[in-house]
């Protein structure tokens, strides 16, 4: 396994890119540490597959370097990079048996026969392919085919890394959950560097120790699920992570804080200083629905809101509120009574985030 380092990487599919929007990867650097279980999370089209293909060598980047354990591999072929890649759709040999499909990468690597058998049996058992091991691949169901495809990626524990590109797309939901657990189990067993691409935050957080959130061709945050939740580094992370996402409100600077409509929101000293020092007019405050303080009584530092809707989701409720011109959401416990059509919300200072040009203003203790 290897540490994978991307240095000033950029990629455009156009031969004559004229601006950032022509880049699938906008210049960025990143390190995938050795032995980690990582997710690369982002919406469709943000550049996830492009990045994996650059790491595995299927694609040569327009700019920048790819290093494995500090050695530049830009010129190495995919084969010489020793990376296993599992794609969205099964890549298997239909005319071969499941056994031979799984054994293929090992035979290629020159592994002795007895060892191949042991390894294939081990992976087949984990993926529950034992019963079809000697069937021809072409007769398998779509789920089984993808399991074989994943198995082909997983049999070799001598690879630098295993890259998964939305591998569970074709798998039915029940099995998805199970396979994700198995991948995690395999990671714990073999400690191979794994990068798992998905656009599903739940999938990302159940598989990975650390998640890289990608947006418009760049990794905008790399952190634990908790860090992404509690301290989104970019408004996109706030919006994309969480259910529902972060409330984001456009604001203007005023003395002591920021303002929207007729409401003034106090900021911390650090946040105030940041607004004073930045010439930008693109200022937002952000607060997660879970962290809004919702009360039936007014008090200091609360804002009067109109209750538009209360959606009871069992263990919690989502309350849709109108605060001046802003529609905001609060997430409260199931036993939290919302009486009448007016509530008072507070923004607890530790959860009130400030974004300038979409990026978080870090508090000093961060
Ligand atoms: P993701 O995997 O996150 O959905 P991709 O890496 O596939 O995103 O695509 C990133 C961007 O690059 C998209 O705008 C996509 O349309 C474009 N793109 C991907 N592959 C090609 C290609 N072979 N030729 C031209 N543009 C491409
Ligand atoms: Mg993709």
């Amino acid at each position: 396994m290897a540490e994978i380092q991307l240095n000033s990487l950029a990629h455009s599919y156009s031969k004559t890119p004229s601006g950032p929007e022509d880049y699938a990867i906008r210049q960025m650097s990143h390190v995938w540490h050795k032995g980690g279980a990582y997710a690369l999370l982002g919406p469709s089209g943000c550049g996830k597959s492009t990045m994996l293909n650059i790491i595995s060598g299927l694609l040569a980047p327009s700019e920048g370097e790819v290093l494995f354990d500090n050695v530049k591999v830009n010129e190495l072929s995919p084969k010489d990079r020793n990376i296993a890649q599992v794609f969205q759709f099964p890549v298997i040999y239909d005319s071969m048996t499941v056994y031979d499909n799984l054994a293929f990468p090992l035979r290629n690597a020159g592994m002795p026969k007895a060892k191949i058998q042991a390894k294939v049996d081990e992976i087949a058992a984990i993926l529950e392919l034992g019963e079809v091991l000697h069937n021809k691949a072409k007769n398998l169901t779509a789920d089984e085919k993808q399991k074989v495809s994943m198995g082909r990626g997983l049999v070799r524990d001598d690879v630098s890394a295993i890259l998964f590109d939305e591998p569970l797309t074709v798998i039915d939901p029940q099995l998805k959950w199970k396979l994700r657990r198995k991948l995690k189990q395999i990671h714990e067993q073999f400690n191979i560097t794994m990068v798992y691409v998905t656009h599903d935050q739940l999938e990302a957080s159940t598989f990975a120790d650390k998640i890289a959130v990608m947006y418009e061709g760049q990794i905008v945050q790399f952190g634990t699920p908790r860090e992404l939740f509690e301290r989104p580094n970019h408004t996109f992370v706030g919006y994309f992570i969480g259910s529902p996402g972060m409330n984001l409100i456009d604001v203007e600077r005023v003395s002591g804080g920021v303002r929207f409509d007729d409401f003034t929101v106090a900021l911390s000293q650090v946040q105030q200083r940041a607004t004073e020092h930045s010439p930008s007019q693109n200022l937002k405050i952000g607060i997660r629905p879970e962290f809004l303080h919702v009360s039936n009584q007014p008090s200091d530092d609360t804002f009067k809101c109109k209750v538009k809707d209360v959606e009871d989701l069992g263990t919690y409720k989502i309350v849709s509120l109108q605060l001046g011109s802003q529609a905001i959401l609060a997430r409260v416990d199931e036993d939290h009574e919302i009486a009448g059509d007016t509530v008072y919300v507070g923004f607890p200072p530790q959860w009130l985030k400030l974004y300038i040009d979409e990026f978080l203003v870090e508090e000093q203790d961060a």
Side-chain angles (χ1 to χ4, degrees), residues 238-249:
Y239 154 83
F240 197 65
I241 303 283
S243 172
M246 190 176 225
N247 294 297
L248 291 158
I249 302 175

Side-chain angles (χ1 to χ4, degrees), residues 43-50 52-53 88 165-166 197 199:
S44 175
C46 72
K48 304 181 296 295
S49 296
T50 302
L52 286 202
N53 293 340
Q88 202 165 359
D165 197 348
E166 312 211 32
V197 165
H199 59 264

Side-chain angles (χ1 to χ4, degrees), residues 45-119:
C46 72
K48 304 181 296 295
S49 296
T50 302
M51 183 187 288
L52 286 202
N53 293 340
I54 288 171
I55 294 172
S56 66
L58 294 176
L59 190 65
S62 326
E63 294 165 33
E65 293 181 337
V66 181
L67 298 102
F68 292 178
D69 290 333
N70 295 316
V71 178
K72 191 175 165 190
V73 297
N74 285 52
E75 274 71 46
L76 291 188
S77 71
K79 188 167 164 290
D80 293 329
R81 293 193 194 190
N82 203 20
I83 292 260
Q85 193 169 3
V86 180
F87 300 91
Q88 202 165 359
F89 299 102
V91 178
I92 56 173
Y93 297 106
D94 263 347
S95 61
M96 287 187 191
T97 62
V98 170
Y99 185 96
D100 287 337
N101 264 286
L102 296 177
F104 193 82
L106 302 178
R107 288 185 184 134
N108 266 354
M111 191 183 272
K113 212 167 168 182
K115 217 172 148 202
I116 291 179
Q117 169 126 30
K119 197 70 209 180

